[in-house]
Amino acid sequence: MLRTTLAGLVAHRLRLLLTSLAITLGVGFIAGTFVLTDTIEQGFRQLFTADADKVAVAVTPKDEDIPHEVLAKLTALPGVSGAQGLVRGTAPLLDKSGRAAGSTATSGISVEAGPLDRTSYVTGTAPGGPGEAVLDENTARTRQFEVGDTVTVLDLAEKRRQFTLVGLIDVGVDQHLAYTGAVGFDPATAREMTGEKGYHEIDLAASAGVSPETLKQTVAAALGQTYTVKTGEELARKLALDSNVELDYLVLVLLLFGCVAMFVAALVIYNTFNILVAQRTREMALLRCIGATRGQVFRSILLESAVVGLVSSVLGLLVGLGLGALGLAALGRFDAPVPTGASVALTPRTIVLGLVVGLLVTVVAAVLPARGATRVAPIAALRSQVEEQTFRAGLARSLIAGLLLAGGLGLTAVAIWVLDGNTGLLVAMGGGAVFFLGVIVIGPVLMSPLSAFAGWVPRKVFGVPGRLAVDNSRRNPKRAATTTVALTIGVTLMTLISVITASTRETVVSSLDDQFPVDFMITAQYGRADGMPLLPAEVPATLRTLPEVGLVAEMRQDDTGEIASLPDRAVFRPEVLSGSLAALTPGTVALSEPQAENLGAKVGDTVSLTTAKAGKVKVKVAALLGQDGLNGTMPYTIAAPDFEKYFGAVGPVRVYVKVKDGTAADVSRRAVEAALTAYPTAQLVSAADVRGEFDEAFDMMFTIFAALLGLAILISLLGIANTLSLSVHERTRESALLRALGLTRPQLRGMLSIEALVLGLVGALVGVVIGVAFGWAALQTIPNETVFIVPVGQVLLYLVLSALAGVLAAVLPARRAANASIVGSLAAS
Amino acid sequence: MTMTTDVRAAVVARGLSKTYGQGDAAVHALRGIDVSFATGAFTAIMGPSGSGKSTLMHCLAGLDTVSSGHVHIGDADITTLSDKQLTLLRRERIGFVFQAFNLLPTLTAEQNIRLPLEIAGRQADQVLMDRVVETVGLRDRLSHRPSQLSGGQQQRVAVARALISKPQVIFADEPTGNLDSRSGAEVLSFLRRSVRELGQTIVMVTHDPVAASYADRVVFLRDGLLVSEVTQPTPQSVHDMLLKLEA
């Protein structure tokens, strides 16, 4: 029996190739995920281990920085051969146009050559004196600086200081530095530039013969509980652990897509084995005739699937290696903080997991078809004609499908109207999954009417081949349903993502329009001080002198971010729930809705404010305010003269500028930019800038999802190709008859292409409908007001692409059918 | 055997040879056959198994290529045509009835009958359609699918399909091979009636002397050569000739 199975496999190797490919790709994706993350993890570990070797003991603060005296104290400890304090603060780097680079100030760090230096240099060396600096390579690339250039950095007093760039560094996995960018100085200069008095970390080297553990105890005894003391090895472990948290997310997201791909692959395998069994009815019957038991037939099919699963899983591991390397390169391109230069890692865990998943999915998907094979009666060997499979929807199928569909809809309804937030979204998606299962179960019933619908145009346009093709596509609804459902999964998810991104984008854009009734907004660079960064107090006045500028409005806040001055009404348009903003005169306050609720206050009540200059003051509530899109609404809003009285002439957090009527926006912008040269850290953004950034972010997210889903779609196309090639095989004699009756080769090819087109279209239609519906459901669970947009162009494109993809999948099977000899095919049984 | 060049011949083969394989493995299925089939006649091709009778029919009908020689259907030399031209010729001028699997399972009987016309993009002649349907006696079965028809009914649908496009010649390959004797007799008398009443030309391959006796003329093949013929055959005369050939 074993030999029969293996001989059968060899005989059908071409037929099984497409099936194997489906598993290979699925396993490849999952293995690729692990290869990628293992490689990153291994890279981290190498990096941290290398670092740990340099440092015997590291001291980090629990809250405040470590003061300078501690460094002196540690240096004097017995067993310490060297100590280095790491400074970290902000030191805004100016770009080539003289403006501060980025919306958050560049980090200023100390870099000191020596045995304790953990910096990794891309080129050049550590700064050798107060006139030299190093820069992280990403910032250098985006701001176009090279070693040898002069860079300008603002010191604590916002004074421009110039340094010669002597090296580029890789900040590695430090998320903070990767985000802000880093400019490095020698320790004295770093302290001077950042104004930091203490250290972010102190690293110690041990004298010969002193173990890190011993040194750690010495240090801990000397410092007490104020600081965290770790050996180099412990530090490396902690850093690795921190970076793993991010990796875990990556693994989770990628595996989710991997599971989708595997599920699609399972459908393809299930279908293929079903067809293989149907085709080999006579072969099975013959085996039964000559004495094979049901069990033997069952086991032979399972064995066949196991061999296919094993072979393709091994191939999948190889594909995974390639995909892992590709993913690493892609992450590198997006400047993600991943260690570079690590060799691709294929761990035993990946191998075992890949093989087990591939094998298990294949064998499980083949169980039902194998059971079907055992039902073949020995007498079937003697029947000449393969019987057409007729399909009737059984009561059980209708019942199960009904339960699943209703359950899915019910869950989703609960998610929309009862739950909200993340729970709601998760439940809605769970409802979607359950509903989809229902669609899979009821699929064969839907297949016939849907094919008729999707085939309506081809039937009219393509004449006899078109009509025959549409009839053929409805011939075996069960098989057609399984084939198309694989494609439906991909199209559903693509549509879902399209709808959600398009709607979110539209929501953001329309709220941007709302939020940006002005042309420009000026803010201070983040990261320089605690709390909200403030612009110099004179900025609004300076801008008001410009002839190119219309309205200039400012927004002031106290440093708790609770009390705000009432800005110009042109930029502050909150919903007034009760009272009125006109009544907001000195001595009164407007409360935000949640704050009013907290205090239990209403219009006319008196509340007290804690102010910087006037202490506690009592004010009367003049209005209750809802949300304002532009500024949000602070808990307390008071009139501008009051604000100055209570807090003095503090700088604004934001300044809004409108272009003067009749002045071109770019002229106005240049004037504002010129006026701001004196304030290099002031950030000027226009509505267009913000929109552009959002667009870019959305496009990128969409591209990544599309690329990840592409694999599932590719596998489903293999499924269509597989089904068609097997149908072609089944209908050999029918094709020959048609050819004898005068159907030309191109017409026969066309017939199969149209059949594939109809299958593709049906799969896509169902996917688009479910995708749009559940996209809507998902959006309803988001508590904020969201616009619902169906990106019609994109959705139509999916339909067209799916139809075309179907045609593409039919190319090879159709060619084989058309090139078959008529006489030979007629003779075939 | 006489070699007449009948101007009214529907199908003429000259020096027809067909060889499968090469060298030592070469099988000479047809070894130079000259034969013509008169318009409006019902001719049967007979011969022992392996005599080449099916190959001859396939070559005559343009379903298979010839190794040498020529086949004329009407004025067209089909051995010089491209696959596309051949397909169009089959569509326009030839009808087929096979032993089994004659009908498309997805189409109704009526759709199956009309299929060749629709492939050719022609309108069915309604008078002819009615007459053909009447003759085959399938009026109440037209909307049935092949799986709902008996074997005999299926073959009669196949014959109706072959007739509907008024081809120059119908090739029938063992049309009664899968039928019981009563259904077989029905199909055969229907074939003969279509020759008598509609003036149809039919060439039929068979190994059954009774079936062959329905024809106007029977030609006999042995080892790829045309060896004999009988006109106005009876089952007995055909049977005797077969016995003689096998001896």
Side-chain angles (χ1 to χ4, degrees):
Chain A
M1 204 63 194
L2 177 68
R3 201 174 303 158
T4 320
T5 306
L6 295 181
L9 264 177
V10 173
H12 299 132
R13 60 187 178 278
L14 255 173
R15 203 177 304 171
L16 287 167
L17 187 73
L18 289 170
T19 321
S20 320
L21 213 52
I23 309 171
T24 300
L25 288 177
V27 170
F29 193 93
I30 290 179
T33 302
F34 284 110
V35 167
L36 174 67
T37 47
D38 286 346
T39 307
I40 295 175
E41 216 175 290
Q42 206 170 71
F44 280 154
R45 216 177 305 129
Q46 278 167 8
L47 208 69
F48 297 135
T49 314
D51 284 353
D53 286 348
K54 290 181 184 163
V55 178
V57 168
V59 180
T60 47
K62 282 182 177 157
D63 40 310
E64 298 282 301
D65 275 1
I66 312 170
H68 192 64
E69 308 85 77
V70 175
L71 178 62
K73 189 172 161 191
L74 288 174
T75 316
L77 278 180
V80 173
S81 71
Q84 189 181 66
L86 304 181
V87 180
R88 180 179 290 193
T90 57
L93 171 81
L94 300 193
D95 63 17
K96 290 204 160 163
S97 67
R99 313 238 19 111
S103 60
T104 304
T106 319
S107 294
I109 59 172
S110 65
V111 175
E112 189 175 8
L116 281 168
D117 186 11
R118 292 185 347 220
T119 317
S120 102
Y121 298 92
V122 181
T123 52
T125 56
E132 294 182 345
V134 295
L135 192 59
D136 76 279
E137 57 168 340
N138 283 337
T139 308
R141 190 172 59 239
T142 49
R143 305 293 169 185
Q144 296 170 334
F145 288 116
E146 284 171 24
V147 171
D149 286 357
T150 300
V151 294
T152 310
V153 183
L154 297 180
D155 68 8
L156 195 62
E158 304 274 298
K159 231 181 85 207
R160 289 176 169 78
R161 298 269 301 263
Q162 300 203 313
F163 298 89
T164 308
L165 211 53
V166 295
L168 298 183
I169 60 170
D170 179 358
V171 296
V173 297
D174 190 316
Q175 304 284 340
H176 180 74
L177 293 189
Y179 175 65
T180 61
V183 54
F185 314 97
D186 69 45
T189 315
R191 270 196 302 276
E192 189 192 330
M193 291 296 291
T194 61
E196 297 289 331
K197 301 279 184 290
Y199 300 105
H200 165 75
E201 181 180 325
I202 293 176
D203 294 340
L204 302 173
S207 313
V210 179
S211 76
E213 279 72 23
T214 316
L215 189 59
K216 179 187 166 186
Q217 280 165 16
T218 317
V219 172
L223 292 181
Q225 292 294 307
T226 328
Y227 305 104
T228 309
V229 183
K230 284 193 164 79
T231 63
E233 220 182 297
E234 286 166 346
L235 179 71
R237 217 173 297 141
K238 180 187 175 294
L239 289 174
L241 217 64
D242 287 351
S243 59
N244 270 357
V245 176
E246 312 258 332
L247 270 184
D248 286 348
Y249 273 111
L250 186 67
V251 171
L252 201 69
V253 170
L254 287 178
L255 279 186
L256 216 59
F257 283 96
C259 287
V260 170
M262 269 327 271
F263 185 63
V264 172
L267 283 173
V268 170
I269 297 157
Y270 164 77
N271 218 14
T272 308
F273 272 93
N274 246 338
I275 300 167
L276 285 179
V277 166
Q279 260 179 7
R280 279 150 52 191
T281 304
R282 290 181 75 179
E283 195 180 308
M284 308 282 171
L286 189 65
L287 285 173
R288 297 285 320 260
C289 273
I290 59 176
T293 62
R294 277 174 197 274
Q296 279 173 316
V297 170
F298 182 74
R299 281 194 297 274
S300 95
I301 304 267
L302 279 200
L303 180 65
E304 184 168 339
S305 70
V307 173
V308 171
L310 197 65
V311 171
S312 19
S313 301
V314 170
L315 291 176
L317 287 177
L318 293 178
V319 170
L321 273 180
L323 282 178
L326 208 70
L328 204 62
L331 282 179
R333 283 284 294 278
F334 288 123
D335 290 341
V338 293
T340 45
S343 60
V344 175
L346 186 63
T347 59
R349 179 185 66 163
T350 312
I351 297 176
V352 169
L353 210 77
L355 291 183
V356 166
V357 167
L359 200 61
L360 218 62
V361 168
T362 318
V363 173
V364 167
V367 163
L368 280 180
R371 255 172 55 100
T374 61
R375 299 215 186 91
V376 173
I379 192 69
L382 307 172
R383 286 188 205 126
S384 62
Q385 191 115 4
V386 181
E387 274 169 55
E388 282 283 308
Q389 282 202 351
T390 45
F391 174 79
R392 283 185 312 279
L395 184 66
R397 178 183 293 273
S398 311
L399 217 64
I400 293 171
L403 278 177
L404 286 172
L405 292 176
L409 286 180
L411 269 181
T412 313
V414 166
I416 294 175
W417 285 291
V418 181
L419 305 167
D420 53 18
N422 278 340
T423 330
L425 185 63
L426 281 179
V427 172
M429 293 299 102
V434 172
F435 184 84
F436 201 95
L437 285 178
V439 171
I440 294 180
V441 175
I442 203 76
V445 181
L446 297 179
M447 214 43 222
S448 196
L450 280 176
S451 300
F453 176 70
W456 192 75
V457 172
R459 192 182 259 281
K460 293 266 178 273
V461 174
F462 296 108
V464 178
R467 272 188 17 217
L468 293 174
V470 176
D471 285 345
N472 281 337
S473 71
R474 305 167 59 179
R475 221 158 134 174
N476 194 329
K478 227 165 141 179
R479 187 193 299 173
T482 325
T483 308
T484 51
V485 124
L487 179 64
T488 305
I489 292 175
V491 175
T492 303
L493 292 175
M494 280 301 288
T495 310
L496 188 75
I497 288 167
S498 290
V499 167
I500 291 177
T501 37
S503 301
T504 318
R505 189 193 297 241
E506 182 60 29
T507 308
V508 167
V509 166
S510 68
S511 72
L512 269 185
D513 289 342
D514 240 23
Q515 286 179 17
F516 252 84
V518 291
D519 297 295
F520 311 118
M521 179 171 87
I522 300 154
T523 55
Q525 201 175 27
Y526 283 89
R528 281 297 260 173
D530 296 337
M532 284 298 280
L534 302 183
L535 286 162
E538 67 273 22
V539 167
T542 314
L543 293 177
R544 283 194 182 100
T545 62
L546 299 175
E548 296 89 345
V549 162
L551 171 84
V552 175
E554 68 230 70
M555 175 71 196
R556 285 172 210 270
Q557 284 173 16
D558 75 328
D559 53 10
T560 62
E562 292 228 309
I563 307 173
S565 73
L566 176 69
D568 192 294
R569 295 287 305 280
V571 298
F572 187 60
R573 298 183 284 202
E575 194 187 346
V576 180
L577 301 171
S578 67
S580 92
L581 272 182
L584 189 62
T585 50
T588 62
V589 68
L591 297 181
S592 72
E593 193 188 7
Q595 186 67 14
E597 246 170 61
N598 281 346
L599 299 173
K602 55 184 189 300
V603 173
D605 291 358
T606 303
V607 296
S608 76
L609 296 177
T610 310
T611 70
K613 297 215 153 178
K616 268 197 186 316
V617 292
K618 296 245 177 245
V619 287
K620 224 175 93 185
V621 177
L624 296 189
L625 304 180
Q627 275 298 310
D628 171 58
L630 183 51
N631 305 301
T633 305
M634 295 298 144
Y636 304 98
T637 303
I638 54 177
D642 270 0
F643 190 86
E644 192 144 351
K645 198 165 81 195
Y646 298 155
F647 298 99
V650 295
V653 287
R654 258 167 276 161
V655 172
Y656 302 101
V657 178
K658 269 195 168 174
V659 174
K660 188 171 196 124
D661 287 344
T663 309
D666 57 328
V667 173
S668 183
R669 180 176 187 146
R670 271 197 296 275
V672 173
E673 275 173 352
L676 288 176
T677 33
Y679 316 103
T681 57
Q683 304 277 310
L684 173 69
V685 289
S686 69
D689 291 343
V690 175
R691 203 164 299 160
E693 272 169 36
F694 274 115
D695 273 344
E696 233 171 75
F698 278 122
D699 286 344
M700 188 161 120
M701 195 175 85
F702 182 75
T703 312
I704 292 174
F705 279 131
L708 292 177
L709 281 178
L711 189 77
I713 292 178
L714 187 69
I715 294 176
S716 65
L717 291 183
L718 290 175
I720 294 190
N722 218 355
T723 301
L724 274 178
S725 71
L726 293 156
S727 295
V728 164
H729 179 89
E730 269 181 1
R731 298 186 209 140
T732 308
R733 291 217 283 175
E734 217 173 299
S735 302
L737 176 67
L738 282 166
R739 289 272 293 127
L741 292 182
L743 208 67
T744 61
R745 283 199 169 120
Q747 279 178 316
L748 188 66
R749 269 202 301 273
M751 185 178 97
L752 285 157
S753 303
I754 295 164
E755 183 176 347
L757 181 140
V758 170
L759 287 181
L761 211 53
V762 168
L765 268 175
V766 177
V768 160
V769 170
I770 303 179
V772 167
F774 282 89
W776 175 83
L779 288 170
Q780 299 313 304
T781 63
I782 299 172
N784 296 342
E785 196 69 17
T786 337
V787 191
F788 170 63
I789 290 268
V790 179
V792 176
Q794 233 168 22
V795 165
L796 285 180
L797 189 71
Y798 296 154
L799 290 178
V800 172
L801 284 183
S802 301
L804 287 183
V807 172
L808 192 72
V811 166
L812 282 178
R815 214 164 66 187
R816 213 175 62 222
N819 289 349
S821 120
I822 301 176
V823 176
S825 304
L826 278 173
S829 58
Chain B
M1 217 189 78
T2 51
M3 296 255 293
T4 49
T5 311
D6 188 344
V7 283
R8 284 186 59 252
V11 182
V12 180
R14 288 279 168 264
L16 192 57
S17 296
K18 176 72 184 178
T19 308
Y20 295 105
Q22 279 176 341
D24 289 345
V27 176
H28 302 281
L30 301 176
R31 302 161 181 263
I33 288 185
D34 297 292
V35 69
S36 71
F37 300 93
T39 302
F42 187 179
T43 315
I45 301 176
M46 289 206 78
S49 296
S51 60
K53 54 187 190 299
S54 280
T55 306
L56 175 61
M57 195 209 88
H58 290 150
C59 288
L60 292 175
L63 290 175
D64 209 348
T65 55
V66 304
S67 300
S68 67
H70 293 273
V71 175
H72 290 267
I73 291 187
D75 51 1
D77 181 351
I78 66 165
T79 53
T80 63
L81 298 182
S82 70
D83 178 74
K84 165 107 180 151
Q85 290 168 316
L86 203 54
T87 304
L88 294 181
L89 179 122
R90 276 203 304 271
R91 189 191 271 186
E92 299 290 336
R93 301 203 198 167
I94 303 177
F96 288 99
V97 181
F98 298 109
Q99 175 175 7
F101 208 84
N102 264 306
L103 307 179
L104 286 196
T106 50
L107 302 182
T108 62
E110 181 173 7
Q111 285 169 331
N112 263 296
I113 295 174
R114 288 180 189 271
L115 187 62
L117 290 175
E118 288 184 351
I119 290 177
R122 283 195 283 162
Q123 279 300 311
D125 176 346
Q126 197 53 52
V127 178
L128 181 65
M129 181 74 189
D130 286 343
R131 196 161 157 207
V132 166
V133 168
E134 214 52 64
T135 331
V136 287
L138 285 169
R139 174 127 342 253
D140 56 335
R141 299 266 160 191
L142 283 181
S143 58
H144 287 51
R145 287 186 198 278
S147 55
Q148 299 163 305
L149 298 175
S150 72
Q153 287 167 333
Q154 287 188 30
Q155 282 309 72
R156 283 186 295 169
V157 171
V159 175
R161 180 192 64 206
L163 286 170
I164 199 73
S165 55
K166 289 189 277 187
Q168 258 179 337
V169 55
I170 291 176
F171 289 102
D173 188 0
E174 303 274 10
T176 57
N178 273 7
L179 301 181
D180 60 72
S181 56
R182 223 189 91 207
S183 307
E186 259 174 38
V187 169
L188 286 164
S189 41
F190 175 53
L191 281 176
R192 186 164 63 188
R193 236 183 22 250
S194 65
V195 172
R196 301 269 186 279
E197 293 172 17
L198 304 172
Q200 186 62 58
T201 310
I202 296 179
V203 177
M204 172 177 75
V205 170
T206 183
H207 66 273
D208 174 11
V210 178
S213 70
Y214 282 82
D216 303 318
R217 166 180 169 231
V218 184
V219 297
F220 292 89
L221 255 67
R222 193 176 61 186
D223 300 332
L225 283 170
L226 207 56
V227 288
S228 173
E229 68 170 77
V230 170
T231 45
Q232 304 306 324
T234 61
Q236 193 56 50
S237 65
V238 175
H239 188 72
D240 292 346
M241 181 58 82
L242 274 178
L243 282 180
K244 213 169 100 192
L245 290 177
E246 302 217 11

